[in-house]
Amino acid sequence: MEHKKKITDLKKSIEKFNNFSLKEKTSLIDSIEMLWLNAGIQKKKKDIKVGENNSNEHVKRIRQLLSAAWSEDLKD
């Protein structure tokens, strides 16, 4: 009996660690994405050009970022 309890406790511990690891991974990915987006925004502040072509490029880039984010969400 005690042997089965130890195995059950070990299994629960592994599952708990796995869940914690998944949360940490998600948190790190979110942090990296935010840093990356912020760096891109800071860089583009110097290079902003007003015009229709530039607006279309911004919309295209936003769509690409959203697609990438949704793709990552679907992987999990």
Side-chain angles (χ1 to χ4, degrees), residues 60-74:
K60 183 179 176 182
R61 185 66 183 141
I62 290 169
R63 287 180 178 157
Q64 289 172 340
L65 292 171
L66 287 172
S67 295
W70 289 331
S71 175
E72 286 297 316
D73 287 345
L74 291 175

Side-chain angles (χ1 to χ4, degrees), residues 41-57:
I41 290 169
Q42 295 300 322
K43 180 180 179 246
K44 294 220 176 205
K45 279 184 180 179
K46 298 174 187 174
D47 301 332
I48 292 178
K49 298 175 186 174
V50 178
E52 187 175 318
N53 289 341
N54 200 26
S55 297
N56 289 337
E57 288 177 23

Side-chain angles (χ1 to χ4, degrees), residues 11 26 30 37 43 52-53 59:
K11 182 180 175 183
T26 302
D30 290 344
L37 288 172
K43 180 180 179 246
E52 187 175 318
N53 289 341
V59 170

Side-chain angles (χ1 to χ4, degrees), residues 7-59:
I7 292 174
T8 302
D9 290 345
L10 181 60
K11 182 180 175 183
K12 286 180 184 178
S13 177
I14 291 170
E15 288 172 351
K16 183 179 176 182
F17 179 73
N18 188 35
N19 289 335
F20 178 75
S21 295
L22 289 173
K23 288 178 186 177
E24 285 295 313
K25 176 184 171 188
T26 302
S27 178
L28 285 172
I29 289 170
D30 290 344
S31 296
I32 291 168
E33 287 176 352
M34 291 304 294
L35 288 170
W36 180 72
L37 288 172
N38 188 40
I41 290 169
Q42 295 300 322
K43 180 180 179 246
K44 294 220 176 205
K45 279 184 180 179
K46 298 174 187 174
D47 301 332
I48 292 178
K49 298 175 186 174
V50 178
E52 187 175 318
N53 289 341
N54 200 26
S55 297
N56 289 337
E57 288 177 23
H58 288 298
V59 170

